Amino acid sequence: MSIHIHWFRRDLRLEDHRALHEAAKLNTPIVGLFIFDTDILDKLEDKHDLRVQFIHEQLQLMKNKLEEHGSSLVVKYGKPLDIWKNLTESYPVVSVSAVRDYEPYAKKRDKEVYDFLSSKNVKFTGYKDQVIFEKSEVVKKDGGTYTVFTPYRKAWESLLTEDHYREFKVDFSSFAKLEKMQIPSLTEMGFRQSEHANFPDNKLKSQILNNYHETRDTPSINGTSRLSVHLRFGTISIRSLVRAAIHKNQVYLSELIWRDFYQMTLYHFPECVNRAIKPKYDRIQWDNNENHFKAWCEGKTGYPLVDAGMRELNTTGYMHNRVRMVVASFLTKHLLIDWRWGERYFAEKLLDFDLSANVGGWQWAAGCGNDAAPYFRVFNPTTQAEKFDPNNTYIKKHIREWGTSAYPKPIVDHKFARERALERYKKALTE
Ligand SMILES: Cc1cc2nc3c(=O)[nH]c(=O)nc-3n(C[C@H](O)[C@H](O)[C@H](O)COP(=O)(O)OP(=O)(O)OC[C@H]3O[C@@H](n4cnc5c(N)ncnc54)[C@H](O)[C@@H]3O)c2cc1C
């Protein structure tokens, strides 16, 4: 018997799945595989990492579903190339599929596996599934890459056809019959289960979608979809969200386009992970005061909206988008701390951490990324709080001691910090 292996990575679902849909046409029994990659896991310092738990829970659900259909899921723990060497020695693998991933590490890993499989005459096919448009599908008329969002969005919308967001059904009869298998436990992999994990649903509620344009900027209410973790791990299909949003809410659709935009940017400018997209911004002299950074991380800057956001992040692994913009602007402009420090802190803490959106969001906030706005836009954290949390509901929820003498005084004066930032940026850009 020959088998086809589908390698799950950021596509942890069994519905509306392009690669599984296409693989069924091969008429070769499909075996699903997931690898807990030690190259990634070994770098995670927090052994309660909720993302690992999220993946683990999702794999269990997928495995149960496949077992209902007489198949199962193969889950391995180790280095991907070693696992592939073992698998091709042990099983009659004739072809492999995966969903394309545009992060630098993933591209390198996939190239190595591709080269190895080719040497064994095993065909490895990648599919576009986690974005609507990838690579150079949305480019300027002269073939150049868009670096500003609005013209990209317009081009994206003009190219969109129903085919881009059609559903790809999964045929369960195409999976191989397999014995039930064990998924390595979190403990076996050196991680621990958190009792307090509270993952959001992977459903887009119609009430959220209908009112999104009015509710999305209020951090105290459930006014956004909370689907970022599901988009991160592919536990919901991006096409299903475009189908839902397309004639209902353009503002929501636009947020999904931002996601494509940042993935495209990372694909074309992989160096943006460490370098400013606008090179002159790498000349900024950051202060990088470690005490200020610590106060920011702990939510003790004395600016309530900033502190509430950081405490929300530290306790839940999530932060509202409006507040992400405010805390990122505060770190880079008020405290003059390098955006890369903030990006790395978010990367450790966010359940929805996605390299492209995180680097994109941080470079946007620091003014050095794909943004048409000038650097001298400096968010005022106090007026942002008055506008978006007028009754202090969000602030009170996350800062117990707010309004008491236990709450810290501002670590920096707003007016002074704003002027200092403008001066420092100006110096770097005009030198
Ligand atoms: C400094 C900073 C860092 C960020 N880091 C991340 C990150 O690591 N991972 C991440 O998924 N998002 C990141 N974002 C974008 C955004 O804050 C989150 O996607 C959003 O808050 C998630 O909540 P939601 O699912 O309720 O979003 P909704 O408002 O319901 O939006 C729907 C979906 O659209 C996408 N989206 C929305 N806004 C953006 C955006 N600005 N850029 C890219 N995609 C977007 C997300 O996939 C989101 O789930 C960051 C933003 C900033 C300013």
Side-chain angles (χ1 to χ4, degrees), residues 204 208 212 216 223-229 231-232 238 241 252 254-260 262 318-328 346-347 350 352-365:
L204 177 57
I208 297 279
Y212 181 78
R216 69 185 185 129
T224 66
S225 68
R226 294 298 307 268
L227 288 172
S228 47
V229 62
L231 283 165
R232 168 66 184 86
I238 179 67
L241 295 182
Y252 189 75
S254 177
E255 295 309 308
L256 302 178
I257 304 175
W258 270 107
R259 181 176 169 275
D260 263 19
Y262 283 143
Y318 179 79
M319 192 194 301
H320 188 278
N321 180 59
R322 167 61 47 187
V323 193
R324 290 188 206 201
M325 294 196 282
V326 173
V327 306
F346 269 32
L350 279 175
D352 65 25
F353 165 61
D354 171 89
L355 189 65
S356 64
N358 203 39
V359 168
W362 273 95
Q363 291 226 22
W364 181 90

Side-chain angles (χ1 to χ4, degrees), residues 1-9 11 17-34 66 71-74 84 87-88 91-99 117 121-127 170-178:
M1 181 181 93
S2 308
I3 58 165
H4 172 93
I5 295 188
H6 177 73
W7 182 11
F8 289 99
R9 293 98 60 94
D11 52 324
H17 193 298
R18 181 156 178 218
L20 291 178
H21 177 89
E22 299 295 343
K25 295 180 189 163
L26 299 171
N27 285 324
T28 307
I30 304 172
V31 173
L33 165 76
F34 182 84
L66 285 168
S71 188
S72 192
L73 184 66
V74 177
W84 279 108
L87 284 171
T88 46
Y91 300 98
V93 185
V94 288
S95 52
V96 172
S97 55
V99 166
L117 291 173
N121 286 325
V122 176
K123 192 170 176 218
F124 182 12
T125 311
Y127 291 92
V170 175
D171 172 9
F172 285 95
S173 68
S174 56
F175 281 87
K177 302 287 169 221
L178 287 182

